[in-house]
Amino acid sequence: MKISKRAITIIFGILAVAFAIGTVFLFTPQAGQQTEGRPILYVNGQPIYELELMRKAQTNPLFTLNPTGVLRPLIDTYFLEQVITLEALKQDAARIRVSSSEVKQQVDQLRQQLGVTDREAYDRFLQSIGYTDSQLRDEIRTQLRIQKRIDEIRKKVKLTDEETRFYYELHKAEYASEDRIKARQIVLDDKATAEDVYRQLLAGADFAELARKYSKVGADQGGAVGAEPGSSEPGPVTRLVFPTPVADAAFQLRNGGITQIIETGGRYYIVKVEEFLPGGDRPYEEVADQVKQDALAVKQNGAVENYIREVRDRAVVKFTEEEIPYDYQNPEVAKVGEKSIPLAEVIQLVFSDQQVPDLIQQGLGELAVSFFFPAATEQLIVEELLAQQADASGEPFIGTRAQKAQDVQLWKTKDVTVTEEEVRKYYEDNPARFSIPASATVRTVTFTDKETADKFREKLLAGDPLDELAKGLGGKIDDLGTVNPGQLPPVIDQLVFASEADFAPAGEWSVSEVIETPDANGQKAYQVVLVKDKKPEVKKPFEQVKDEAKQLALAAKRAEAAAAWIEELKAQTPIENKIAEVLAELTPPAPDQQPATETAPEGEAAPTGQQAAPAEGENAGQ
């Protein structure tokens, strides 16, 4: 089972960033207080110094943008939360033993990666980052301790049979087998031979013998697809073994038989289906080992998420009472029942989406905030709402909060079914899902002036050879290959697939009129578009895609049922969403609207300017 990128980000978001900042540690010398500046905050009594924070911030472009407006407290909080969490993890892992040989292995790997294997280059590297060899090894030891502590948490996780079987019931579709066939194929390079072979097959010739004689693929095995080495007996294969048009034709033969000649990719295929093996749910006993492996990984991810959350929640954070160069803000932005969602949690989710840092670097940070923060807050509200339902259900849900939220929807909608009529309606309402897109092989020939382009087109239609003619007139040929709608430049795409423009025949090609288009420098250019092997969009017959349509229709109906259930839960549960108000309070007024005094938003804040520091001993994560 593949764990989703989003799950990894949320589960290990803090830790992943921690290890990214681990690179920061490699570039952050552990000096005395005299060279580290004043302390900015304390994590469980351990000071974090100003210059140390500055060096850590320099390794992430997001922290070096000198943000203003509402971005300032959001990015500062994002940064400081990661520093706090990593410091807390370091302290918790301090008891873990790491041998000198383990550290040496990591140092050697680092030197190899950086290309500083000789002593002189290594010394220059250490000098450039302000480290001694001993300090570098200490930081690597710390990182290894954290990783070992995480591994320790994972190894302690035990999975019950009840949890495994429940996980299987929820994710049964992921373990279902696909339709498979046992088949032979004959693959040929020219149409005439293909037609000759096909006539022989229709006359009763042996398929395997003709494959041995003619096929360009698998001839020595009688065209047997999926055969073991040295064997001429076909093995069960899925659609992925064949080009899509070939698979479509072969898998339509549920009772066996021989396809017609199928031309695709410049080759000609004939397939004999000897046996059709329908897919479907596989019994638990058949997939038990894989299910146990997947379920264990899911439960371990949940354990790691809980561990990191607990370590952070236990951390006692105290900011110094003097003004500091960071604007840390972590008020409550939402509440689901009695469960509070702090701003830092929303910030973590938003900034883990790479689109957001990219938008900020493009100067679109305010736009990103107005769009992503409300959406992320709503996502966390729904996630918490569903996770609470999972915990209250009495069923053995496992994993992270996001995993439980996903699985409880599967559990709630497990009895949803679809009728034949609903499946057919889904098929009719979603034609693009069940169609083979239009295609064409396309070339363009580009000239700098229309007169030459017209001359090229005239001579090409008269029978002059394309390549020599284009070269002689100074035209530039671009072979765009076999393409589908939407894959060409807009003007050409419209001409080839959407317009009714006439194309004149020229040998194997159809030739467009000369069209005017801008070149790469914005100057006028004149093109002739050449098209061959143009095929219209083809909607697959319902019977051919009935099983796929049923799965998609069922998934859509379950999604609708889950959405309706979520709305019911929202109506039944006390929910507060204050993200708009919090963002408004964090947004400084325009210069001409600056008030006489400022008040910090509800919740905690680091002391910047007139804001008050949390009381001594206060846990800044709560």
Side-chain angles (χ1 to χ4, degrees):
M1 174 183 173
K2 184 180 179 181
I3 305 299
S4 72
K5 181 179 179 182
R6 195 260 173 181
I8 293 173
T9 300
I10 300 305
I11 298 165
F12 299 110
I14 295 172
L15 187 61
V17 174
F19 279 93
I21 297 179
T23 317
V24 175
F25 288 147
L26 294 179
F27 302 90
T28 307
Q30 298 297 303
Q33 180 177 352
Q34 292 79 6
T35 58
E36 288 297 305
R38 61 193 175 107
I40 297 298
L41 71 154
Y42 298 83
V43 180
N44 297 324
Q46 178 67 34
I48 306 294
Y49 292 102
E50 183 174 13
L51 296 184
E52 179 183 355
L53 290 173
M54 290 173 63
R55 282 189 292 266
K56 289 175 180 178
Q58 289 172 0
T59 65
N60 189 321
L62 190 62
F63 305 142
T64 60
L65 296 175
N66 192 25
T68 58
V70 70
L71 283 172
R72 164 80 189 281
L74 297 177
I75 291 178
D76 283 359
T77 302
Y78 179 54
F79 171 57
L80 291 175
E81 268 298 310
Q82 291 172 358
V83 171
I84 291 166
T85 302
L86 184 56
E87 177 61 32
L89 288 169
K90 285 174 60 180
Q91 294 174 17
D92 185 74
R95 62 178 177 78
I96 302 293
R97 295 192 60 184
V98 174
S99 68
S100 297
S101 62
E102 290 174 299
V103 174
K104 181 181 183 301
Q105 182 181 14
Q106 293 298 316
V107 172
D108 290 345
Q109 287 181 8
L110 177 66
R111 292 178 65 175
Q112 189 72 36
Q113 292 169 0
L114 297 176
V116 292
T117 51
D118 64 273
R119 186 68 206 185
E120 184 178 346
Y122 180 55
D123 287 342
R124 286 199 303 270
F125 163 71
L126 290 174
Q127 184 177 11
S128 70
I129 63 173
Y131 251 77
T132 66
D133 179 69
S134 176
Q135 290 170 334
L136 175 64
R137 291 173 187 272
D138 285 344
E139 295 300 348
I140 288 178
R141 189 182 303 275
T142 296
Q143 294 176 53
L144 289 174
R145 281 175 174 153
I146 294 175
Q147 186 57 60
K148 281 192 170 188
R149 180 70 176 113
I150 294 295
D151 292 342
E152 194 177 78
I153 297 296
R154 297 180 71 88
K155 288 176 182 177
K156 289 180 180 179
V157 174
K158 304 298 179 184
L159 194 68
T160 68
D161 186 62
E162 181 187 19
E163 290 169 335
T164 307
R165 288 183 177 274
F166 183 68
Y167 183 85
Y168 163 76
E169 289 299 326
L170 294 180
H171 297 271
K172 190 180 294 185
E174 297 175 21
Y175 301 98
S177 62
E178 299 179 59
D179 289 345
R180 296 172 296 167
I181 58 174
K182 290 184 178 180
R184 296 180 187 273
Q185 67 176 353
I186 298 174
V187 184
L188 302 161
D189 288 335
D190 67 278
K191 187 175 182 179
T193 305
E195 290 174 343
D196 179 52
V197 170
Y198 191 64
R199 281 193 295 269
Q200 294 182 57
L201 290 171
L202 293 181
D206 184 84
F207 195 98
E209 288 302 318
L210 290 179
R212 288 188 180 93
K213 184 177 180 179
Y214 293 102
S215 185
K216 301 299 182 181
V217 176
D220 57 337
Q221 294 178 298
V225 182
E228 295 290 335
S231 171
S232 58
E233 287 300 314
V237 296
T238 65
R239 296 174 59 91
L240 294 177
V241 171
F242 304 98
T244 299
V246 180
D248 288 341
F251 277 78
Q252 197 172 353
L253 301 175
R254 291 177 173 260
N255 296 319
I258 298 176
T259 68
Q260 295 182 340
I261 299 171
I262 307 149
E263 180 187 355
T264 183
R267 284 188 152 184
Y268 301 85
Y269 293 76
I270 306 171
V271 179
K272 180 183 179 182
V273 177
E274 296 186 351
E275 185 179 1
F276 183 88
L277 306 170
D281 291 340
R282 298 159 71 187
Y284 174 76
E285 290 71 24
E286 186 178 328
V287 295
D289 289 345
Q290 186 62 52
V291 175
K292 289 176 183 176
Q293 180 180 328
D294 293 342
L296 179 61
V298 167
K299 191 173 183 180
Q300 287 173 330
N301 289 343
V304 172
E305 179 186 69
N306 290 337
Y307 162 69
I308 294 175
R309 194 182 300 276
E310 289 169 4
V311 168
R312 172 61 186 92
D313 288 347
R314 287 198 309 266
V316 177
V317 179
K318 181 179 181 296
F319 287 90
T320 56
E321 296 184 1
E322 56 190 292
E323 184 175 338
I324 64 173
Y326 297 96
D327 191 358
Y328 178 92
Q329 305 284 346
N330 194 21
E332 177 184 271
V333 295
K335 197 169 186 180
V336 182
E338 297 301 315
K339 173 66 176 179
S340 176
I341 299 176
L343 177 60
E345 195 168 337
V346 180
I347 291 174
Q348 169 63 35
L349 178 58
V350 170
F351 287 136
S352 65
D353 186 334
Q354 187 54 48
Q355 294 182 78
V356 177
D358 289 346
L359 287 170
I360 292 173
Q361 290 179 344
Q362 295 171 30
L364 300 174
E366 301 287 343
L367 178 64
V369 169
S370 65
F371 176 79
F372 284 95
F373 272 79
T377 304
E378 180 64 20
Q379 179 179 337
L380 291 175
I381 287 173
V382 171
E383 203 170 84
E384 178 59 36
L385 187 64
L386 292 170
Q388 291 179 12
Q389 290 298 309
D391 293 340
S393 69
E395 299 291 350
F397 288 97
I398 56 175
T400 63
R401 184 175 63 183
Q403 181 76 47
K404 289 181 179 181
Q406 171 189 309
D407 284 359
V408 77
Q409 295 177 75
L410 297 176
W411 171 72
K412 183 66 177 180
T413 62
K414 65 182 184 299
D415 296 326
V416 173
T417 59
V418 286
T419 65
E420 176 86 9
E421 183 180 357
E422 288 173 321
V423 174
R424 187 172 286 278
K425 185 177 186 304
Y426 186 89
Y427 167 79
E428 296 295 343
D429 291 346
N430 298 274
R433 288 182 175 271
F434 307 105
S435 296
I436 301 172
S439 64
T441 301
V442 181
R443 274 184 170 186
T444 60
V445 185
T446 307
F447 299 89
T448 57
D449 66 278
K450 188 175 186 303
E451 182 179 353
T452 307
D454 285 334
K455 185 176 181 180
F456 165 80
R457 182 177 185 275
E458 179 182 347
K459 287 183 172 293
L460 181 64
L461 295 178
D464 284 17
L466 189 158
D467 291 340
E468 293 178 15
L469 179 60
K471 183 178 180 181
L473 294 175
K476 179 178 179 293
I477 296 179
D478 288 304
D479 190 346
L480 304 180
T482 301
V483 294
N484 305 119
Q487 296 178 341
L488 294 169
V491 173
I492 300 177
D493 193 84
Q494 177 78 14
L495 181 67
V496 174
F497 292 113
S499 75
E500 297 181 1
D502 290 330
F503 281 70
E508 63 178 339
W509 294 97
S510 295
V511 184
S512 76
E513 297 286 349
V514 175
I515 61 172
E516 181 182 315
T517 59
D519 63 14
N521 299 317
Q523 302 298 316
K524 287 183 180 181
Y526 299 88
Q527 288 185 324
V528 177
V529 180
L530 309 176
V531 177
K532 70 176 180 178
D533 300 330
K534 185 175 178 181
K535 298 174 183 177
E537 179 179 274
V538 177
K539 187 176 181 181
K540 300 175 187 177
F542 176 72
E543 291 301 323
Q544 181 180 335
V545 296
K546 183 177 178 180
D547 291 344
E548 180 186 1
K550 182 177 180 179
Q551 292 175 359
L552 292 172
L554 179 59
K557 190 173 180 180
R558 291 182 73 176
E560 290 175 3
W565 181 49
I566 290 170
E567 291 305 313
E568 291 178 12
L569 294 176
K570 286 181 177 179
Q572 298 166 4
T573 308
I575 294 176
E576 296 179 52
N577 185 342
K578 300 182 287 187
I579 186 63
E581 293 88 335
V582 168
L583 292 176
E585 292 178 1
L586 293 179
T587 303
D592 58 347
Q593 299 175 344
Q594 188 73 29
T597 60
E598 295 182 13
T599 58
E602 179 184 347
E604 356 161 325
T608 57
Q610 299 167 348
Q611 296 172 343
E616 184 169 353
E618 180 181 350
N619 184 337
Q622 298 179 351

